[in-house]
Amino acid sequence: MRPYNQGARLTAFELPTEEIPAQLVFDSAVSALLRSDPMIRAIVVGADRVAANGDTANKIGTYQLAITARYHGCQFIVAAPTTSVDLHTKSGSDIVIEERNEAEILVQSGFERQGVLEGRLERVEVQVAPVGTRAWNPSFDVTPAELISAIVTERGVVVKQPGACEFDMAGHMRGE
C-alpha cells in the first residue's frame, strides 16, 4: 500500500474492474510473500517519470520492490506511457524528489467501519503516532535502470542491450 493508501483505495478497485486477479499486500510484506510463493515470477509497477537512461521515478517504495525482486530472482517490469518518458532528464539523479507534509503519515483518515455497515459515510481523522513525532515523507523514489528488467510502453517493450546497465529510451521513442 502506498502513500494515501493508494493500493487499497485505487488499485484494489481498478484491477478487479478489469478482471485482473489482485490481492492487497503491504510493501513491507512483499519480500516475505516472494519467499513463500515461488510461483511469483515478476513485479509490475508504474512510473511517473522515466529518464533517458531508464531510471524511473515512481511512488515511494518502488525502489525497495526492485531490490527485493532482484534478490528473489523475479523480473522487475515498469509499465508507463510514453508521456512519462523524459529524454531531457539524463538519469534519475537529475530528478528532484518532492517531500510532502509529515501530517500525511502521522494522521490517517477514513470511514468508521460500523458507520459504513450502517450506510453512514462520515470521514474521520485518526492520529496514528504520538503527538510530536516527526516523519520523513518523500513522494517518490528513483529505481536505477540496472534493477529494471524491462520497460513497457504503448509502443512496445524496451530491454537493455546485452551487457548494458541502462536502457536506450531515445531509441525507443524514435521507434528503433
Side-chain angles (χ1 to χ4, degrees):
M1 292 181 26
R2 296 301 177 88
Y4 298 118
N5 295 313
Q6 288 176 339
R9 294 184 314 113
L10 185 59
T11 310
F13 171 78
E14 290 176 337
L15 293 175
T17 300
E18 297 296 327
E19 299 182 12
I20 299 170
Q23 182 177 19
L24 192 60
V25 178
F26 279 102
D27 290 357
S28 56
V30 170
S31 294
L33 177 62
L34 292 177
R35 182 187 310 162
S36 70
D37 188 348
M39 295 299 294
I40 299 171
R41 301 309 318 142
I43 294 174
V44 181
V45 300
D48 288 277
R49 194 175 205 185
V50 180
N53 72 341
D55 290 350
T56 61
N58 196 37
K59 305 301 181 278
I60 190 69
T62 305
Y63 179 35
Q64 72 181 12
L65 294 176
I67 292 168
T68 200
R70 172 68 56 94
Y71 181 82
H72 289 281
C74 289
Q75 298 290 309
F76 189 79
I77 301 167
V78 173
T82 54
T83 54
S84 293
V85 177
D86 181 358
L87 298 179
H88 299 292
T89 301
K90 183 177 177 181
S91 73
S93 62
D94 298 325
I95 299 172
V96 177
I97 304 298
E98 173 192 3
E99 289 190 28
R100 298 189 55 89
N101 189 310
E102 62 185 18
E104 294 175 1
I105 295 175
L106 302 173
V107 177
Q108 297 291 304
S109 68
F111 302 109
E112 286 185 337
R113 180 172 167 68
Q114 189 60 39
V116 171
L117 294 173
E118 295 171 0
R120 291 180 287 112
L121 297 179
E122 299 172 21
R123 186 168 291 281
V124 296
E125 287 192 344
V126 179
Q127 178 79 27
V128 295
V131 173
T133 301
R134 299 296 316 262
W136 181 54
N137 188 15
S139 294
F140 304 94
D141 56 23
V142 174
T143 302
E146 65 186 283
L147 294 176
I148 300 170
S149 308
I151 299 174
V152 179
T153 74
E154 71 275 14
R155 294 184 183 183
V157 179
V158 188
V159 295
K160 294 173 261 191
Q161 295 298 318
C165 294
E166 299 180 342
F167 293 87
D168 178 11
M169 295 309 297
H172 177 68
M173 296 301 284
R174 288 190 304 269
E176 298 173 4

